[in-house]
Amino acid sequence: MRRTGTSIRRPLLAVSAILAGAGLPDGLAGAGQDTFIAQQSELFTNVTVIDGRGGPPRPSSSVLVWGGRIRDIGARGSVAAPDGTVVVDLSGAYLIPGFIDAHASPQTTQDLRALLAAGITGVRDGATSLAAFEERGRGSFGEDPVPTVYVGGPVLEAGSASHGVVLESEAAAVAEVARQASDEAGFVSVASSVPPSWLVGIARAARRAEVPLWADRRGSGWLLALRAGSAVGSPLISGDSELLPESERGSFEVLADAGQVPARIAWLERVEPEGPDVDRAVTALLSNDSALLPLLASASAPLDCPAEAAPCAPLSDDEWTALQAAWPKAEALLQTFHAQGVRLLVGSDAPRTTPLGEGFHREMQLLVEAGIPALDVLGMATRNGAIELGQLHERGTIEIGKRADFLVLEANPVADIRNARRISLVVIDGRAWALGPDDAWRRVRFN
């Protein structure tokens, strides 16, 4: 380790203007400026396709795009293109689905630009309601391309929490779930401040309303939420004493209550990654077809940092040393869930504990360092995120009929996951964009 549901019914996507291409990679000659937008089919060819479905990369492939959709995919020379199709030679490049950050909270247009620069074309905002989203004016982005944002919420909270909706009883929480469902929330999020005793009632209400429940439990109730039917559990280093050997639970709770050692470090030091207590967590995830959102990148900063603390205080040197010493257990725990077929997601927890965009790539790198193959991690960052947002029919893989939302990379991310940062083009709804030397987006037209 290095220190360093169904979506909302109105996905938010900016309308783009035609701009001159700038800073284009080799092989994209012919990109220029136009003043008239016409539906144009484009054949991206001589490219290696990594489709997000788990199969090996497909070299020398072609992808036909028209009307914002992928119309055909095949080996070079096998795809029949309509007359007038513009052929875009991507020799030496790699084409992958756009990334989905399953846990971030972009606050401004600037935040959304940072996400897109990292190749994130879809983001689940787990801390914002639709009303708050619209009040901030984030539906007005001018000419900039931005990711599609999926919102649910507001987050269910209790006590003196300052985010989301603060609830005083289980009955109030159950009523809030019903209210959010009637408002067409894409999912309901429940925070760690909500007492574990409320979780079963909340989960039952979510099932009745047919809205997915995402449980962010950085403490007690992680396993209970999954047993009750939460669609997603997070984070991997949960701090739930129920996942520890019974002999270790008392000492952990004493340390956690005292606050002298960060709870996640004390928990990680005591967990048995292949023990029977973790097996129960695997069973809960698999029996409900639930997903796990690891949030490894956020583990090097305080997990419960108040919003007004900017920036959050880093771990002390002694705490960092202790976390590094215990980190192999986190990796072994992740391997246990992956080996058992638990669906894993990629989320950054940005901007609370990691920078927007950068945190997502750091998360992918930590997953690979933990022993997960890079090809699997790419599927977690694309297909799995689309599954949990109820968007697999639209995005998450390179398949015929889906939205043409994809990235063109300069190098192979399967050989080195860090190559996923080397983005030449971002394509959204079939429109290609590139970042210029001034960090401004330029619309790329091929002719």
Side-chain angles (χ1 to χ4, degrees):
M1 181 181 61
R2 295 184 176 88
R3 190 172 191 175
T4 40
T6 302
S7 77
I8 177 175
R9 276 60 169 180
R10 288 170 284 170
L12 304 172
L13 183 64
V15 177
S16 304
I18 297 290
L19 297 174
L24 301 182
D26 294 339
L28 300 186
Q33 185 175 14
D34 204 343
T35 57
F36 175 72
I37 301 178
Q39 284 197 334
Q40 173 180 286
S41 58
E42 294 166 340
L43 184 67
F44 296 89
T45 191
N46 291 335
V47 67
T48 297
V49 172
I50 301 172
D51 63 16
R53 301 169 63 191
R58 292 182 282 172
S60 301
S61 295
S62 296
V63 177
L64 179 65
V65 172
W66 179 79
R69 297 275 171 177
I70 298 173
R71 301 297 177 173
D72 201 0
I73 308 169
R76 183 181 59 187
S78 69
V79 176
D83 290 343
T85 296
V86 174
V87 177
V88 183
D89 188 349
L90 295 177
S91 296
Y94 294 78
L95 189 149
I96 68 172
F99 295 129
I100 297 175
D101 191 329
H103 190 74
S105 184
Q107 301 294 309
T108 66
T109 303
Q110 211 52 24
D111 291 346
L112 291 169
R113 289 172 179 157
L115 291 172
L116 193 66
I120 296 165
T121 60
V123 54
R124 169 187 166 267
D125 187 335
T128 304
S129 67
L130 173 60
F133 185 95
E134 293 178 339
E135 284 172 6
R136 291 176 186 165
R138 290 196 296 176
S140 302
F141 303 109
E143 298 176 348
D144 281 353
V146 293
T148 301
V149 183
Y150 299 92
V151 297
V155 181
L156 307 188
E157 301 260 18
S160 59
S162 59
H163 300 289
V165 56
V166 179
L167 305 164
E168 296 182 353
S169 67
E170 179 181 345
V174 168
E176 177 63 19
V177 170
R179 188 198 67 76
Q180 291 188 18
S182 68
D183 284 349
E184 297 189 330
F187 47 86
V188 171
S189 299
V190 56
S192 56
S193 60
V194 171
S197 60
W198 300 5
L199 291 176
V200 172
I202 291 171
R204 287 174 177 168
R207 286 199 300 275
R208 285 195 299 270
E210 297 183 341
V211 58
L213 179 65
W214 291 57
D216 187 348
R217 305 296 299 180
R218 304 167 196 250
S220 60
W222 188 90
L223 183 53
L224 178 61
L226 289 169
R227 284 172 171 161
S230 177
V232 179
S234 69
L236 174 75
I237 305 173
S238 70
D240 189 343
S241 61
E242 196 174 352
L243 274 73
L244 300 178
E246 191 169 355
S247 61
E248 297 285 356
R249 295 175 188 175
S251 63
F252 165 71
E253 290 171 355
V254 169
L255 284 171
D257 291 343
Q260 296 176 352
V261 177
R264 68 189 182 281
I265 296 177
W267 183 88
L268 198 54
E269 290 172 337
R270 288 162 174 77
V271 73
E272 293 182 0
E274 297 181 0
D277 308 284
V278 171
D279 283 344
R280 286 193 285 272
V282 171
T283 299
L285 286 158
L286 294 178
S287 61
N288 291 323
D289 192 28
S290 301
L292 174 61
L293 180 59
L295 299 181
L296 294 179
S298 70
S300 61
L303 294 181
D304 294 313
C305 212
E308 60 273 14
C312 295
L315 295 173
S316 69
D317 289 342
D318 287 346
E319 290 167 347
W320 178 251
T321 299
L323 182 60
Q324 283 185 307
W327 195 255
K329 281 196 172 184
E331 295 178 332
L333 187 60
L334 183 69
Q335 290 169 10
T336 294
F337 287 118
H338 179 254
Q340 293 297 321
V342 172
R343 186 164 56 254
L344 301 175
L345 309 177
V346 178
S348 65
D349 203 23
R352 184 173 62 155
T353 55
T354 62
L356 288 152
E358 179 183 331
F360 186 86
H361 285 275
R362 183 182 173 204
E363 180 78 3
M364 288 200 293
Q365 188 169 342
L366 287 171
L367 290 167
V368 170
E369 290 175 1
I372 310 300
L375 188 63
D376 291 357
V377 171
L378 291 171
M380 297 169 193
T382 55
R383 181 177 183 272
N384 287 4
I387 290 173
E388 294 309 317
L389 289 171
Q391 287 292 303
L392 189 58
H393 63 294
E394 283 286 302
R395 60 169 70 240
T397 60
I398 306 298
E399 294 185 82
I400 295 173
K402 291 193 175 182
R403 289 174 51 171
D405 284 12
F406 55 80
L407 313 176
V408 177
L409 306 180
E410 297 175 355
N412 185 0
V414 175
D416 187 339
I417 196 65
R418 291 172 296 184
N419 288 335
R421 302 171 184 257
R422 300 177 61 182
I423 300 167
S424 295
L425 293 175
V426 175
V427 177
I428 298 180
D429 279 344
R431 298 182 177 93
W433 299 84
L435 270 178
D438 55 354
D439 288 332
W441 287 100
R442 301 290 195 270
R443 174 71 194 280
V444 178
R445 293 286 287 179
F446 308 103
N447 48 40

